Amino acid sequence: MKTGMLCNDRRNSMPGVWLITGCMLLAPLSAHSLTRAPTLKLFPTTVLEEIRHTGSVAREMETGLQAVIARLDEQQALFVASKCEGGEGDPGCKQIARQLGATYLEMLNVMGDRLPAMETAVTATTSSLEKRIRRELGQKKTPWTLQELLIAEDTAKDESERPALRGRSGMRLSDRFSQYYQLVARSGSRVNSSLAVVASDIYLDMQETAHLIARTREEINRATLMEQLNQSFGTITPEMQEVVAGVKAILFGEEQALTLSAPPDSDPAREYASPLQL
Amino acid sequence: MNSPTLIRLLGITAMAALLSACNSNPPRGPQCSLPEGPHLDQAVSAARFDLETGCEERFQEYFQRLLVIAEGDPKKENKARFSEFLVWANQEGLLSKRQAREIYNRYFGVKYVSLIGDYSVCSHTCPRQSQVVADMQRELADKEQGLLKVSADRRAYHRANRLFQETELVLEATCSACGAVE
């Protein structure tokens, strides 16, 4: 994970900017709801607000953690550069290992402090979205009308306008929510089909995040105790490295090599239309 | 005359009768040989002839053979050839209109006939979500043959593929929200 990148990312850090941007983005949504019906009521203002709030909470957590994680990276690099791996008996190495362990404990504490707020935000958004998805997609649609909804404006859409599907994001948690918010606000004025995909994407992502948060919280107490013990011996466990790597992956994303399909090469205007076409 | 001799005599007589019948009236049952060669139009004509003359039970095999022949010369116009062939099959009473539509769309349509259904997603689709997705997956393979290999319509296949991914995602979320995940 690129911790250097984290330090450069200061976008959207002011709550005022969020508020103004939010109001501007919401404006077309309400105008749209007056002019075009029926619309898919997946993202009422309350849900949108919850997504925005979850993004803010995630950003706060990242901000609190990025300095600690950057320090952890530095100490880890120093540990490796000093050839301390396997040479823990050396007093200098012991010292570095203790510092590393202390920073690790600090990271766990920050996470322990911030995770409850994150958990609350994620649970609220998941619950609201769940109700909306159940009603709008699960109960009001048949599989056929759901398919028609998804394909409806397929031809008009540019690939760049499409929401990226799950597992493709590879970005920080807060940026992901920020992107979700932008997607919902933008596509609210245009495409129902995208909304269904975005809603599903957010909902599944939230479920996964909630699961990870619960697991992380369980781990924190145990890891804290273990590290307090380790401090007496000054050792770096592989477990510590794993937890740090896991936190980085969840919060700050991981780079993934994406393979996209080749672009289409035909002219939609000249498509053959069979009398059997459904 | 004892009975073994009588049986033998009857057998010989029956055999002679059968042989003479074969000579005077050779059988003219349907040949039902699947069309060969690289030309789709000729293959369609041959298939039509056979299907009109007693081979209708093997319709699916003929259709598959025509697809394979068409793969040898993929082009957009092939969609129309297959559409005409299926319309003809409907007019001849080999297929109902619904069957003709479903076959055409299974291979040459972007939408999935696997998703035909009149009940809500929560009640009808979610209880058999994995089956529906598996059916769609198989249909995507047929669309690959029809749209990509036979019609050279990459754009339509790309859309069908995208639709599959999106539907799978939306179904996963919706069924989870419905509380009816298998």
Side-chain angles (χ1 to χ4, degrees):
Chain A
M1 177 61 210
K2 299 83 210 125
T3 44
M5 201 177 87
L6 308 176
C7 305
N8 298 331
D9 198 317
R10 304 255 181 238
R11 290 167 295 158
N12 301 327
S13 54
M14 294 161 64
V17 173
W18 267 109
L19 195 64
I20 294 164
T21 318
C23 293
M24 284 171 69
L25 290 166
L26 280 170
L29 253 187
S30 22
H32 167 66
S33 60
L34 294 175
T35 52
R36 252 177 71 179
T39 50
L40 214 52
K41 293 172 189 157
L42 283 168
F43 291 104
T45 318
T46 47
V47 176
L48 211 58
E49 183 53 35
E50 276 164 357
I51 293 172
R52 194 195 62 76
H53 175 66
T54 310
S56 304
V57 175
R59 188 168 294 280
E60 277 170 29
M61 190 153 128
E62 287 163 8
T63 310
L65 279 172
Q66 65 190 29
V68 185
I69 289 183
R71 207 159 0 112
L72 264 176
D73 280 347
E74 281 167 19
Q75 288 167 341
Q76 175 75 24
L78 180 65
F79 189 80
V80 173
S82 308
K83 303 196 186 325
C84 289
E85 285 167 306
E88 281 84 3
D90 182 82
C93 290
K94 265 189 181 171
Q95 176 69 16
I96 299 172
R98 283 223 176 81
Q99 285 170 353
L100 233 165
T103 314
Y104 177 67
L105 271 176
E106 198 183 328
M107 185 197 83
L108 294 179
N109 286 335
V110 174
M111 285 188 77
D113 289 345
R114 309 270 182 170
L115 274 179
M118 187 71 198
E119 194 168 36
T120 309
V122 167
T123 306
T125 313
T126 309
S127 166
S128 304
L129 260 179
E130 189 170 82
K131 279 182 209 148
R132 292 283 163 176
I133 289 175
R134 189 189 306 131
R135 193 192 313 160
E136 297 295 321
L137 302 179
Q139 291 167 348
K140 287 188 183 174
K141 300 280 175 202
T142 68
W144 187 258
T145 55
L146 182 70
Q147 163 170 243
E148 286 186 321
L149 170 78
L150 292 175
I151 205 169
E153 302 196 31
D154 192 49
T155 43
K157 259 183 284 176
D158 186 278
E159 196 64 30
S160 61
E161 285 183 81
R162 292 184 155 281
L165 295 180
R166 293 178 74 226
R168 284 189 179 181
S169 52
M171 60 172 69
R172 305 171 73 180
L173 195 62
S174 62
D175 284 344
R176 215 152 77 206
F177 284 108
S178 171
Q179 193 197 47
Y180 281 150
Y181 179 79
Q182 302 286 343
L183 270 170
V184 174
R186 253 194 320 142
S187 38
S189 58
R190 303 180 216 169
V191 191
N192 274 339
S193 55
S194 284
L195 286 182
V197 176
V198 172
S200 303
D201 204 13
I202 300 174
Y203 174 64
L204 293 171
D205 216 9
M206 291 277 193
Q207 279 189 330
E208 218 167 89
T209 306
H211 180 64
L212 285 170
I213 289 173
R215 267 181 49 200
T216 308
R217 287 187 69 181
E218 278 172 21
E219 275 301 296
I220 282 175
N221 290 336
R222 200 187 57 81
T224 305
L225 182 66
M226 286 303 291
E227 188 41 36
Q228 279 163 352
L229 287 173
N230 283 341
Q231 276 292 292
S232 331
F233 305 105
T235 51
I236 300 168
T237 61
E239 196 181 42
M240 268 169 64
Q241 292 174 6
E242 261 178 47
V243 172
V244 175
V247 169
K248 285 180 184 176
I250 296 163
L251 283 177
F252 305 124
E254 285 174 323
E255 281 206 329
Q256 290 174 2
L258 304 180
T259 49
L260 297 174
S261 316
D265 63 348
S266 60
D267 177 6
R270 292 172 57 204
E271 264 180 30
Y272 168 71
S274 161
L276 299 171
Q277 194 90 41
L278 283 169
Chain B
M1 199 180 287
N2 58 20
S3 58
T5 316
L6 180 64
I7 290 168
R8 207 174 299 131
L9 192 61
L10 282 172
I12 292 166
T13 314
M15 187 68 80
L18 275 173
L19 282 173
S20 82
C22 286
N23 287 336
S24 64
N25 188 19
R28 291 183 56 84
Q31 290 294 308
C32 297
S33 53
L34 297 174
E36 303 281 353
H39 301 294
L40 182 62
D41 286 340
Q42 286 173 15
V44 168
S45 300
R48 281 187 182 194
F49 176 80
D50 282 7
L51 291 168
E52 277 174 327
T53 53
C55 301
E56 63 273 10
E57 284 180 6
R58 295 180 64 187
F59 180 85
Q60 197 56 38
E61 285 172 69
Y62 276 87
F63 186 75
Q64 273 302 332
R65 174 58 63 91
L66 293 179
L67 285 171
V68 171
I69 290 170
E71 279 180 28
D73 184 15
K75 53 189 174 192
K76 286 273 178 65
E77 294 75 30
N78 285 344
K79 267 191 201 180
R81 299 289 87 77
F82 279 92
S83 172
E84 287 157 11
F85 177 70
L86 289 166
V87 168
W88 168 84
N90 166 239
Q91 286 163 351
E92 290 298 311
L94 302 173
L95 299 173
S96 68
K97 193 157 191 172
R98 185 181 177 144
Q99 285 173 318
R101 271 195 186 138
E102 287 194 6
I103 294 173
Y104 180 80
N105 285 282
R106 180 171 190 89
Y107 288 89
F108 301 101
V110 174
K111 290 183 201 167
Y112 287 78
V113 294
S114 312
L115 290 175
I116 289 175
D118 298 325
Y119 299 100
S120 79
V121 172
C122 276
S123 67
H124 183 72
T125 315
C126 291
R128 40 188 283 275
Q129 185 193 346
S130 53
Q131 181 60 48
V132 170
V133 173
D135 289 347
M136 285 183 77
Q137 182 93 60
R138 277 190 287 274
E139 189 171 339
L140 180 62
D142 289 338
K143 289 184 194 306
E144 184 184 6
Q145 186 179 24
L147 291 172
L148 209 56
K149 294 180 182 168
V150 169
S151 312
D153 190 347
R154 289 178 63 204
R155 185 177 181 281
Y157 177 69
H158 185 76
R159 287 175 65 205
N161 191 30
R162 178 89 200 185
L163 181 61
F164 171 72
Q165 290 175 38
E166 290 188 346
T167 306
E168 192 181 20
L169 173 82
V170 172
L171 274 185
E172 189 186 343
T174 306
C175 292
S176 175
C178 293
V181 176
E182 289 162 285

